[in-house]
Amino acid sequence: MLDSREEELGVKRDNTRKKKKEKRSEKKTIHKEEETEERRGEEEEEEEEGQQEKDSEGVLLRGIFKLGKKSQDVLLTRTRLTWIPITPETPTEPRVLHPEVLLLEDVFAVKVKRRRAAGQQSGGPVLGLTLFHSRRKGRKLEEDTLHLHNASSEHTYRWYNKIKELVTGFTIRPKFLKVFINPSSHKKEAVHIYRDHVAPLFKMADVRTDITVTERTGHALSVMKECKLDEYDGVLCVGGDGSVAELCHALVLRAQLDTGSPEKPVNDVCLLLPLIFTGSTDVVSCSVHGVRDPVTAALHVILGHQQQVDMCSFTSLGQLVRYGFSAMFGFGGQSLARAEKNRWMSSSRRREYAMSFFHPHIIASFHLVFSCVVIVEEEETWTTREGLYLNISIMSIPCLSPHAPQGLAPDTRYLQGGSASLIAVGNTSRSEFIKHLKRYSFSFSFVETHTVSAVRVRPRSQTGWSEGEENEEEEDSKTTPIIGSEGASFPWNIDGELVEIANEVLVRVHPRLITLYGEHIDEAETTASCSCI
């Protein structure tokens, strides 16, 4: 009787366990069905969004190519190429495959790929297409390829013709460039850099060139005066900051003459200036491209990446001296003048030699009066400072470089901001001045920074200040200018070029005066510590 009772209880427990197990299994099944339904909903939503995007762009071509060893379903629209692997459906394990994308704005050439025997120059069976495009790696742009394999000649050429039509339809891309190469740049390797790294990319992208190798300072300027600029889509500079400054100056002058406005700069010079830099610092190149890399610069040119850039005009006594991006007066001008007297030295030796100004008896302070239009809350107000200053810097671009990756101009973070950064370094001790140069810090009490649209600079020893200044008191020995006699010429460093000016100088910012190829960069890539020297 007891055994029967225990057996009955055991059966009941087994039944209970079985029911619980069945309930758990039922819940799992329901949950799995819900998850599957949810995934299907997500897939349908993604497919619907993808289809809407395709419908809005309009699928021009659809076909099958092999990428590597896998067959792909390839779609072409007016803006992109997308592909997704062709795989058999497995209902038990549905997979969500995201298509890969190549934007046509990054493609600069398309070629038909053929199988050819050794030494064969033409013909051969069709293998498919090769698309040449840019690929971003940090600040750099690199050349990359995409191979689409299909042995059908008709299929391949239908795709080739359509992609070629779309790529050549980017009218902003240049077709014919005037090229100036400074053979002295980058240890006299500028010609080789252009030939090995730039010319092959231009040939691939069907960009024609007319090349002039400059023979002296001012050669490019003289050629530009006689050049038929309407034949070209842009002017290419292969050289350092001095070379590009000379060409930019020439372009602005030509625009003034061509429009019949010789006294007033013409905003937005229509010709574009591509920059391939091979100089020692290349602050304009780093500000425009972010890196000192000829391939990056060449791809910016080929793909038509454009931006408008501010420039400054430098005038003295109502006469134009030149156009430029940045200038230094005081230490910056003196050290350059000292280096220019020793052109026989290498650039690194000249730089070290110029740094001998660190000796206290050589560092010259100028008794300056400078007046500037300070921009405060978008309002412009003239303000005047005077006293002993070691250096005045005026920069309309950030002046990024490998030595100063965050830029030399703290208030100029954009190439088209419509203002310049004014940095005035007051008279101080040799050690403090060197600290400022090495750290390029603006936290010192003797350093002033202003955001300006115009600046007047003149040594205090000269007379005739045009802003109606009051009569000054006699200067004692502590404020007597160390350099600056009546009628003397003073050295200015304008874009790395030495310019001697005897009188007061008016520097004025001209917003968006010229258009350059490149892209806005907040900070340059660097392989060195931040140091302006």
Side-chain angles (χ1 to χ4, degrees), residues 310-314 322-325 394 396 420 507-510:
D310 301 341
M311 288 190 73
C312 294
S313 62
F314 298 84
R322 68 179 301 159
Y323 291 98
F325 299 100
I394 304 159
S396 63
V507 185
R508 187 172 294 281
V509 180
H510 300 278

Side-chain angles (χ1 to χ4, degrees), residues 74-235:
V74 185
L75 281 78
L76 175 69
T77 70
R78 294 190 175 277
T79 62
R80 66 188 62 199
L81 191 77
T82 61
W83 61 95
I84 190 168
I86 298 175
T87 57
E89 293 185 4
T90 52
T92 56
E93 295 182 9
R95 294 175 59 193
V96 178
L97 298 175
H98 298 283
E100 295 190 62
V101 178
L102 174 63
L103 298 178
L104 293 185
E105 65 183 23
D106 295 328
V107 177
F108 59 87
V110 56
K111 306 291 181 184
V112 174
K113 191 175 182 179
R114 295 176 179 273
R115 181 183 289 114
R116 290 173 179 166
Q120 186 178 357
Q121 298 297 321
S122 61
V126 170
L127 298 178
L129 297 173
T130 298
L131 276 63
F132 297 84
H133 63 95
S134 70
R135 177 172 61 90
R136 187 172 295 278
K137 186 177 180 181
R139 295 276 187 250
K140 289 185 177 181
L141 295 181
E142 297 180 345
E143 178 191 359
D144 204 351
T145 55
L146 177 68
H147 300 285
L148 302 174
H149 299 283
N150 191 303
S152 169
S153 178
E154 180 183 354
H155 182 76
T156 297
Y157 270 98
R158 183 166 65 252
W159 280 74
Y160 167 79
N161 291 331
K162 178 55 68 174
I163 294 175
K164 184 78 172 178
E165 176 190 335
L166 295 173
V167 170
T168 55
F170 291 105
T171 57
I172 200 170
R173 298 182 180 182
K175 304 299 181 185
F176 190 24
L177 297 173
K178 176 63 183 175
V179 180
F180 290 92
I181 304 176
N182 181 355
S184 300
S185 292
H186 194 68
K187 302 176 183 179
K188 300 185 178 180
E189 294 181 355
V191 174
H192 300 290
I193 291 173
Y194 176 80
R195 181 190 63 196
D196 297 339
H197 299 287
V198 180
L201 290 173
F202 283 170
K203 183 179 180 180
M204 182 71 68
D206 296 326
V207 178
R208 296 184 299 122
T209 56
D210 177 17
I211 300 174
T212 295
V213 179
T214 58
E215 300 172 356
R216 63 187 183 281
T217 301
H219 186 188
L221 181 60
S222 62
V223 172
M224 286 291 294
K225 289 180 179 178
E226 307 297 329
C227 202
K228 295 182 179 180
L229 296 182
D230 56 353
E231 297 179 357
Y232 306 105
D233 298 310
V235 181

Side-chain angles (χ1 to χ4, degrees), residues 421-524:
S421 181
L422 169 65
I423 305 164
V425 182
N427 200 27
T428 188
S429 66
R430 171 179 174 268
S431 61
E432 291 296 294
F433 182 56
I434 293 176
K435 286 180 183 178
H436 162 68
L437 288 175
K438 287 186 173 181
R439 302 175 189 171
Y440 209 71
S441 171
F442 308 100
S443 60
F444 295 105
S445 59
F446 55 86
V447 178
E448 303 177 34
T449 62
H450 305 280
T451 301
V452 301
S453 59
V455 183
R456 290 181 184 269
V457 179
R458 75 172 174 87
R460 177 63 183 80
S461 59
Q462 295 184 5
T463 57
W465 183 248
S466 59
E467 293 296 322
E469 61 177 298
E470 299 178 358
N471 295 328
E472 288 99 4
E473 299 177 357
E474 283 294 320
E475 301 163 343
D476 56 26
S477 59
K478 292 183 180 180
T479 58
T480 300
I482 298 175
I483 294 180
S485 59
E486 193 73 30
S489 293
F490 299 96
W492 280 76
N493 180 339
I494 302 180
D495 292 322
E497 295 295 306
L498 179 64
V499 181
E500 300 279 350
I501 307 176
N503 300 288
E504 73 179 41
V505 175
L506 172 63
V507 185
R508 187 172 294 281
V509 180
H510 300 278
R512 303 182 178 185
L513 186 58
I514 195 168
T515 303
L516 305 181
Y517 282 116
E519 61 183 357
H520 171 66
I521 299 295
D522 288 322
E523 185 172 312

Side-chain angles (χ1 to χ4, degrees), residues 243-527:
S243 300
V244 72
E246 180 180 333
L247 273 175
C248 286
H249 173 72
L251 279 172
V252 176
L253 289 180
R254 271 299 301 267
Q256 290 179 235
L257 294 174
D258 292 346
T259 57
S261 178
E263 302 299 326
K264 183 179 180 181
V266 179
N267 278 24
D268 190 13
V269 173
C270 59
L271 276 180
L272 303 163
L273 183 68
L275 310 171
I276 310 294
F277 281 86
T278 55
S280 56
T281 55
D282 295 337
V283 296
V284 183
S285 174
C286 288
S287 297
V288 172
H289 303 307
V291 290
R292 297 169 64 197
D293 177 58
V295 172
T296 298
L299 289 174
H300 279 309
V301 173
I302 291 169
L303 297 173
H305 298 163
Q306 300 179 14
Q307 55 187 334
Q308 294 175 307
V309 181
D310 301 341
M311 288 190 73
C312 294
S313 62
F314 298 84
T315 58
S316 181
L317 300 181
Q319 297 296 316
L320 175 68
V321 177
R322 68 179 301 159
Y323 291 98
F325 299 100
S326 63
M328 288 187 285
F329 180 75
F331 173 79
Q334 287 177 313
S335 59
L336 179 60
R338 188 177 178 85
E340 287 296 308
K341 293 179 181 179
N342 298 276
R343 294 292 298 180
W344 56 272
M345 294 182 181
S346 65
S347 59
S348 59
R349 285 191 62 192
R350 286 202 309 272
R351 183 170 174 166
E352 292 176 1
Y353 182 72
M355 292 303 103
S356 64
F357 273 110
F358 284 175
H359 294 294
H361 65 283
I362 298 179
I363 291 181
S365 59
F366 291 82
H367 193 174
L368 299 176
V369 176
F370 68 88
S371 184
C372 55
V373 180
V374 179
I375 301 175
V376 181
E377 296 180 357
E378 299 184 357
E379 293 186 2
E380 297 183 346
T381 305
W382 277 98
T383 184
T384 302
R385 301 280 193 278
E386 71 171 292
L388 287 175
Y389 289 90
L390 290 171
N391 192 70
I392 300 286
S393 298
I394 304 159
M395 305 173 188
S396 63
I397 61 175
C399 291
L400 308 176
S401 78
H403 304 289
Q406 295 181 347
L408 300 179
D411 300 326
T412 310
R413 301 308 305 157
Y414 299 97
L415 296 170
Q416 48 179 273
S419 63
S421 181
L422 169 65
I423 305 164
V425 182
N427 200 27
T428 188
S429 66
R430 171 179 174 268
S431 61
E432 291 296 294
F433 182 56
I434 293 176
K435 286 180 183 178
H436 162 68
L437 288 175
K438 287 186 173 181
R439 302 175 189 171
Y440 209 71
S441 171
F442 308 100
S443 60
F444 295 105
S445 59
F446 55 86
V447 178
E448 303 177 34
T449 62
H450 305 280
T451 301
V452 301
S453 59
V455 183
R456 290 181 184 269
V457 179
R458 75 172 174 87
R460 177 63 183 80
S461 59
Q462 295 184 5
T463 57
W465 183 248
S466 59
E467 293 296 322
E469 61 177 298
E470 299 178 358
N471 295 328
E472 288 99 4
E473 299 177 357
E474 283 294 320
E475 301 163 343
D476 56 26
S477 59
K478 292 183 180 180
T479 58
T480 300
I482 298 175
I483 294 180
S485 59
E486 193 73 30
S489 293
F490 299 96
W492 280 76
N493 180 339
I494 302 180
D495 292 322
E497 295 295 306
L498 179 64
V499 181
E500 300 279 350
I501 307 176
N503 300 288
E504 73 179 41
V505 175
L506 172 63
V507 185
R508 187 172 294 281
V509 180
H510 300 278
R512 303 182 178 185
L513 186 58
I514 195 168
T515 303
L516 305 181
Y517 282 116
E519 61 183 357
H520 171 66
I521 299 295
D522 288 322
E523 185 172 312
E525 284 192 345
T526 177
T527 56

